[in-house]
Amino acid sequence: MNQQITPESTGVEKKLRILSGIQPSGTPTLGNYIGAMRNWKLLADEYDCLYMIADLHSITVRQDPSKLRQQSIQLFALLLAIGLDPEKNVLFFQSHVPQHTQLSWVLNCFTYMGEMSRMTQFKDKSAKHSDNINCGLFTYPVLMASDILLYQANLVPVGADQTQHLEICRDIATRFNGIYGNVFTVPEGYYPKFGARVMSLQDPARKMSKSDPDDCFISMLDSADNIRRKIKRAVTDSDAEIRFDPENKPGVSNLLAIQSALTGDSLDSVVSSYEGKGYGVLKSTLTDVIINTLSPIQNEFNRYMNDRAYLENVWRNGADHASYLANKTLSKVMKKVGFIAK
Ligand code: AQP
């Protein structure tokens, strides 16, 4: 599982396929950018990449419809703004490809209640949204398995919080293949080279999340003033020494890790650049690094948001391309389980 697969290591000419997604449940954070989105751009030459806006997944938590629409379009524009080329990557909205929900129903019938009950994300999210513990939240991993298996993806970029879901996807695929023959590619995890986990600015024991209160995260669309204010207010500690020590100094360590991830400088060199300096210098330097990273992306974002016709064209082409691929798998599944062809 942990061995990195590359097209070279398999000896096949054809590029391996990668699928990943992001939920439009808010404006993406610096965590989404560092942990996922910026890596996507690096994969396009080597792999056959599909990236989706996981809007179906996002309604497992109640969303305001007009906000969801706005966040979805913004997120799509951001995929382009970070440099994902729609000629090299298939970019689409999950809800534009109905095969995801069709396959999900079938796979629900090959998944056991006991397996779903063990999912830690279900336990966490149902504790966080105790007024809305819906069946979608419970069967979320089956929809995720469908997303992956529909495209016969070889690799799925996973953070630590998603490994359990990938495992269940592999179990479902193996179970289905065991009954019906080789229908699904059993996917492996892809572990990005730069996969830092970014923590909340207000509670560095928890990961930075786009649906948390505003002061906990830096959004990819935050203004320079907002970024300055949020970093200034970020939780540190009362001892003034700058060192990387996530256990005893989680707040400071998080700031150092963000700087290292964005500049590409090693943690050691970031830490040593602050020798004899205080938290104020760390915070103002990091603020500049974040602004310098995000402002070119924001300029591109504004350009795409002003060209709705182009955006629509890209997402329609993406949906057509994804549907074509999805249909190949879905037809096979329908036939295998015994449904009558039209
Ligand atoms: N804090 C983080 N650090 C590193 N990577 C992160 N990711 C999310 N937060 C961090 C990675 O971003 C990708 C897309 O995530 P998602 O939107 O599909 O779902 P999520 O992990 O639930 O993200 P959020 O921001 O926490 O959303 P909400 O608040 O709606 O639950 C994933 O690859 C994820 O690992």
Side-chain angles (χ1 to χ4, degrees):
M1 242 318 262
N2 286 328
Q3 190 195 347
Q4 192 82 23
I5 302 188
T6 62
E8 294 75 42
S9 73
T10 63
V12 285
E13 285 282 312
K14 214 172 121 216
K15 286 181 179 175
L16 294 174
R17 183 169 291 162
I18 283 197
L19 176 113
S20 197
I22 178 164
Q23 298 185 67
S25 43
T27 308
T29 68
L30 208 52
N32 297 125
Y33 178 67
I34 290 173
M37 293 165 74
R38 69 175 181 155
N39 291 307
W40 294 355
K41 204 181 123 187
L42 307 174
L43 302 172
D45 289 329
E46 206 175 339
Y47 299 98
D48 182 12
C49 302
L50 291 107
Y51 296 117
M52 62 174 194
I53 308 291
D55 48 5
L56 297 175
H57 283 286
S58 71
I59 63 162
T60 52
V61 172
R62 196 73 72 232
Q63 304 288 339
D64 173 84
S66 63
K67 268 200 196 154
L68 182 61
R69 267 188 287 276
Q70 188 198 20
Q71 286 160 192
S72 300
I73 294 171
Q74 288 185 336
L75 187 49
F76 199 87
L78 269 171
L79 294 188
L80 296 168
I82 59 166
L84 289 181
D85 178 352
E87 302 290 325
K88 289 188 178 167
N89 303 273
V90 183
L91 309 177
F92 65 103
F93 287 105
Q94 186 186 24
S95 64
H96 287 179
V97 184
Q99 289 89 345
H100 288 253
T101 41
Q102 289 173 279
L103 181 60
S104 184
W105 171 254
V106 175
L107 296 186
N108 261 308
C109 301
F110 290 83
T111 309
Y112 299 110
M113 299 287 287
E115 291 174 310
M116 293 293 95
S117 311
R118 286 196 293 274
M119 297 291 114
T120 48
Q121 197 185 71
F122 171 71
K123 291 180 199 159
D124 293 348
K125 286 215 169 173
S126 44
K128 203 167 158 188
H129 305 279
S130 55
D131 55 336
N132 181 22
I133 305 176
N134 58 70
C135 295
L137 198 58
F138 188 66
T139 58
Y140 178 112
V142 182
L143 180 59
M144 183 172 150
S146 309
D147 302 332
I148 298 165
L149 301 179
L150 206 45
Y151 299 101
Q152 308 288 352
N154 305 92
L155 297 168
V156 183
V158 275
D161 50 344
Q162 291 290 346
T163 46
Q164 217 185 12
H165 292 165
L166 179 65
E167 272 313 307
I168 205 79
C169 170
R170 289 167 53 83
D171 290 347
I172 296 170
T174 307
R175 182 173 306 147
F176 197 93
N177 287 350
I179 303 171
Y180 299 107
N182 260 348
V183 177
F184 296 125
T185 302
V186 181
E188 300 280 343
Y190 176 87
Y191 301 90
K193 277 183 211 135
F194 316 103
R197 186 169 158 89
V198 181
M199 310 310 280
S200 162
L201 298 178
Q202 291 300 316
D203 177 3
R206 298 181 44 215
K207 78 162 185 157
M208 181 180 279
S209 272
K210 57 177 121 55
S211 57
D212 279 346
D214 193 55
D215 273 7
C216 296
F217 62 83
I218 303 284
S219 128
M220 287 180 71
L221 297 178
D222 268 339
S223 66
D225 282 350
N226 264 345
I227 295 171
R228 196 162 290 118
R229 182 179 53 79
K230 289 181 182 180
I231 295 294
K232 211 171 195 170
R233 300 199 53 224
V235 166
T236 48
D237 50 56
S238 51
D239 125 57
E241 192 195 348
I242 298 183
R243 63 171 203 277
F244 186 74
D245 178 354
E247 205 174 309
N248 299 306
K249 298 173 73 72
V252 170
S253 302
N254 188 35
L255 301 181
L256 291 167
I258 295 174
Q259 181 171 337
S260 161
L262 292 180
T263 56
D265 297 336
S266 69
L267 268 170
D268 282 349
S269 76
V270 172
V271 171
S272 54
S273 72
Y274 290 117
E275 223 174 275
K277 296 183 179 136
Y279 291 168
V281 181
L282 164 62
K283 286 185 167 183
S284 75
T285 308
L286 177 61
T287 299
D288 291 341
V289 167
I290 296 172
I291 293 172
N292 289 338
T293 305
L294 293 183
S295 71
I297 295 175
Q298 293 175 356
N299 291 341
E300 281 296 280
F301 167 81
N302 291 329
R303 200 165 66 78
Y304 286 115
M305 286 301 281
N306 285 326
D307 194 348
R308 176 67 179 249
Y310 176 74
L311 284 181
E312 286 180 9
N313 190 40
V314 175
W315 77 52
R316 284 198 191 111
N317 285 338
D320 288 347
H321 192 156
S323 283
Y324 170 79
L325 298 172
N327 228 12
K328 288 208 243 181
T329 305
L330 188 70
S331 319
K332 207 167 172 184
V333 168
M334 298 292 211
K335 200 167 148 197
K336 291 283 187 187
V337 295
F339 296 152
I340 307 292
K342 248 200 294 191

